[in-house]
Structure formats: C-alpha cells, structure tokens
Amino acid sequence: MSDKPWGGRFEGATEKNVEEFTSSLHFDRRLYRQDIRGSMAHARMLARQGVIRAAEAEAIVGGLEEILAEIEAGRFAFDPALEDIHMAVEARLTEKIGETGRKLHTARSRNDQVALDVRLFLAEAVEELLAALADLRRAGARLARRHFGLIMPGYTHLQHAQPVLVAHHLLAYDEMFRRDQARLKESLARIKVSPLGAAALAGTTFPVDPEGVARELGFPQVFRNSMDAVSDRDFILEFLSHAAILMVHLSRLSEELIIWNCPEFGFVEIADAYATGSSIMPQKKNPDVAELIRGKVGRVAGSLMGLLMTVKGLPLTYNRDLQEDKEPLFDAVDTALGSVRLMTGMLEGLTLRPERLAAALKGGFLNATDMADYLVNQGVPFRTAHEQVGRAVRYAEFQGKELQELTLEELQRFASQAGPDLFDWLKLENVVARRRSPGGTAPERVEAALRKVEKELGL
Ligand code: ARG
C-alpha cells in the first residue's frame, strides 16, 4: 500500500472506517494557508542550510504557490484518503513538480508541522479578535458618551441599591473587555513560538535553522525542547480559557440587555435588525441575538473542558489524540469572534429610554444609604444611622412613600438629627454626584474614566 505517504511499512490496505475515523482533512483543510506558509519557510531554510539545492527549493516554493492559488480558487480536489491537509498539500506538490516534491519533508515531521500550523492560525485569530474587541469597546464608549449624565438604578441581588450613571455601568463592561484584550495580547508571546525543527520528537540529524524559520514567519521565539515542542497544547488551552472568560462577559451583558429590554423594565429597545419574531405570536420581538450569545458560552466553555480532558493523560510526546485540538479551537474562534461582532452591532443600534429609567428611579429607596451618610455627618455612628434609616424605610414603605416624600417631622421620629437640608441631600442627582471616591459614579469621575477609555481607543 504505497499510495499513502507512509505506505512503505504497510502490506494491507486501511479499513474504510479507519480511514474515515482517523481523517482530519474535512476540518484541518482550514489550515491550508498556514501549512503552505510553513512549508515555504521550511524549504527555503533547507536550501540555505545546504540540505537541498536552491533550485529545488525554488521549485517547491513555486509549486506551493500554485497549490495555494488552486485552493483559493476552489480548484483543489481534496482526496479524503489523504488523512490531513499536510498530506494533501504534499501529495499535490509531488504530482505537480515530481521527485523534488518528495524532498520537502526532509528534517520535518507532521508533528512539528501541525503544531506550527495551529500556532500560525491562532496568532492571526487572536489579532482579529483583538481588533473586534477594540470595535466593541468603541461602541460601548460611544453609547456611554451619548447618554452621559443619565442616571439609572444600580443593583445588587437584582434589587435597587444605589443610583449610578448609565455611563458608569457601561464602563464596567469596558473594564472586562479591556482585561480580555490584555489577556489575549499577553498570550501572543506564548503562541508565537516556532516548533519547526523539533521534527518527530527528538530533533533531527540535519543542520536545521529553527531561528531562521521563526524569523521568516514573524515569530519572535523558537522552541527550547523538541519533545515539548510537538506535544505542547497549552497555548490552545490558554486561548480557550481566555475565550471562555470573554464569552462569560458577553453573556452577562447579554443577560442585562435581555432584562432591560423586557416590558417590565423597558430601559432599552434592541434594534429590529438584532431581534427576531415568533412563528405563532404576531406581537413578538425577541432578543434572540443576545440570548444566543448568552447560550454560546456553553460551547466555548465545553471546548475548554474537552481539550483539557484530551490532553490530561497523554504521555510524551505526540499522540494522535492531539488531532482533537482543532475542532474545539476553530469553533471557539468562530463563536467568540461572531459574538463580539454581533454584540458590537447590537450596542450600536441600542436605544435607551430615559423616561423608563426615570420611572424606575422613583421606587426602591435608592437614597437610603445617603440618608445614613447624612446622619453620620451629624455625628451619628454609622451602625446607629443604618438602623434609624432602616426603621424609616419600613415606615415609608408601609405608607407607600419614598424617604423624601415623608415630612421632616416623620423623618425626625426615626432620626432626630435630620434637618431641612436632608431633602436636597436625598435628591438622586446629588446622591450620584457625591460619590467622588476613586472609581466611583460621580459625573466628574466617570467623565475622566470615559475620556481615558476614549483616548485609548482613538475616539
Ligand atoms: N493530523 C494530525 C494532527 O492533527 C497531524 C499529525 C499527525 N502525525 C502523526 N504522526 N500521525 O495532529
């Protein structure tokens, strides 16, 4: 059976089921560009090092260029019998340029080759995701700017807590996405490590130049241990973990948009372009995009768990199990990128409804902490003030009123230190404005924070 690149050792043919079961071509063909790029760098290196002749390297590179064009034009016949993209490209190369094509794999194994391909792919994907995250942050910052000054209830336990600026709430998400960017950016240093030259596992007898290959590919580092180079998948696990955290952030924002969009809240309206209808209920306009982003966290987190389990019991070095790294990676890249882009569009088209926000501010004693703080300023210990206001709230609730709707006499029944200036003190604009502590929601703090973000994003 010598029609397989490894056919020399074999007498019997591969079982059809085995061929299907072991083949990765239907998904790893996505790596064709990276595979060809890596092979070109490898061939040039072999020539520089005198392993093959310059003319041979030229023929190989020329052939690979043509194959690239064939694949890109959809003219490449992917033969399912050829296991993976590496074999598919190499077989076609030999078909095109003859015997010289059979020299390409000198001093290389698919083990270092596939590790390189995935690293090249992921480096590009991370750059794309970083750019998408910058766009998302821009959309969030623009929304915050457009509605600067608008106040909304801040929640803990999904109960009214204290009033905050809408911009402050939005900038909390900006912090999350900024950390996501930082994590991804930082991980590039561990992705851009060239494994080429490790060969199967132990290095090679040929005088290879891994540094030169890495330089040509734009990778600042090369592997240090050949055995690690072919079996390390940490960089994928790291990415999946970062992607899962990013998805969790998107999911939390989605959840808020869904809540804010429901009629009971009505704080926002999601644009028609980002909603869908019902096949039975004519009145429906559902926030399906937000729901799907929230739902897709499961896929990405699942991919992370899946690959952790795949790698956990593997002895050194390469094992075929590692072929299972690609589908979860591709899916996570597509899901994260798609989700970030759709969230960007949703924020860009989002309408806020100030009248509904104002209505929501009316209930829930959002200024109760501030009445306690007022009393503290009159010399009442905080714990005592807390208790006094608590009693006042209970009384007001019974009357169906807010604190500021009680009379001064009523308030003084619970807190004797209350004076006529308390009413002004309790106005929600003042409640917000007083939170000048670092990172707080006072407009001047939020303005400075937003300006910083705008500057960072080139707005
Ligand atoms: N398709 C394989 C993978 O994705 C490539 C490496 C195969 N190496 C081997 N010795 N069978 O991992």
Side-chain angles (χ1 to χ4, degrees), residues 6 22-25 27-28 31 83-87 109-111 114 118 233 318-326:
W6 38 256
T22 55
S23 173
S24 53
L25 189 56
F27 56 83
D28 68 17
L31 296 172
E83 246 178 67
D84 54 32
I85 185 65
H86 326 296
M87 299 245 206
S109 156
R110 275 184 297 159
N111 300 349
V114 72
V118 176
R233 294 295 183 275
Y318 180 85
N319 301 272
R320 192 64 176 269
D321 315 45
L322 291 174
Q323 181 167 291
E324 290 291 309
D325 62 355
K326 281 169 232 34

Side-chain angles (χ1 to χ4, degrees), residues 173-386:
Y173 282 98
D174 186 72
E175 292 295 324
M176 300 178 220
F177 297 135
R178 189 165 167 267
R179 286 195 297 276
D180 290 323
Q181 281 183 315
R183 267 187 285 273
L184 287 166
K185 227 177 264 175
E186 196 254 347
S187 74
L188 278 171
R190 282 178 298 281
I191 295 170
K192 294 182 169 187
V193 179
S194 178
L196 220 57
L201 76 158
T204 165
T205 58
F206 295 98
V208 290
D209 172 24
E211 301 270 356
V213 172
R215 217 173 302 124
E216 177 169 343
L217 295 172
F219 276 12
Q221 283 191 76
V222 297
F223 69 98
R224 288 162 34 133
N225 177 298
S226 63
M227 297 179 78
D228 179 54
V230 295
S231 56
D232 164 33
R233 294 295 183 275
D234 292 5
F235 66 101
I236 304 179
L237 291 171
E238 253 187 78
F239 172 77
L240 292 175
S241 161
H242 298 340
I245 295 172
L246 162 62
M247 288 303 295
V248 166
H249 294 155
L250 290 171
S251 175
R252 295 182 74 173
L253 180 51
S254 295
E255 170 69 7
E256 299 223 72
L257 292 177
I258 292 163
I259 293 176
W260 293 351
N261 187 65
C262 85
E264 284 75 10
F265 275 72
F267 292 177
V268 300
E269 188 176 345
I270 293 175
D272 281 4
Y274 286 82
T276 53
S278 159
S279 57
I280 175 167
M281 296 169 281
Q283 85 282 14
K284 294 281 269 180
K285 178 179 157 188
N286 298 325
D288 294 34
V289 173
E291 290 170 317
L292 274 168
I293 294 174
R294 186 178 60 185
K296 281 173 191 289
V297 185
R299 302 171 71 106
V300 180
S303 293
L304 169 62
M305 291 309 135
L307 189 61
L308 280 169
M309 291 308 104
T310 297
V311 176
K312 87 170 236 307
L314 294 186
L316 292 180
T317 52
Y318 180 85
N319 301 272
R320 192 64 176 269
D321 315 45
L322 291 174
Q323 181 167 291
E324 290 291 309
D325 62 355
K326 281 169 232 34
E327 284 170 295
L329 172 63
F330 294 160
D331 190 73
V333 165
D334 294 341
T335 304
L337 250 179
S339 302
V340 169
R341 286 178 178 152
L342 279 160
M343 181 58 85
T344 306
M346 201 152 45
L347 291 187
E348 280 166 354
L350 198 69
T351 308
L352 263 70
R353 301 174 65 191
E355 74 290 356
R356 296 300 304 261
L357 288 165
L361 290 171
K362 290 227 164 72
F365 303 97
L366 287 157
N367 50 12
T369 313
D370 285 64
M371 177 165 164
D373 288 357
Y374 171 94
L375 296 172
V376 167
N377 283 313
Q378 313 297 315
V380 182
F382 181 76
R383 215 18 94 209
T384 310
H386 185 288

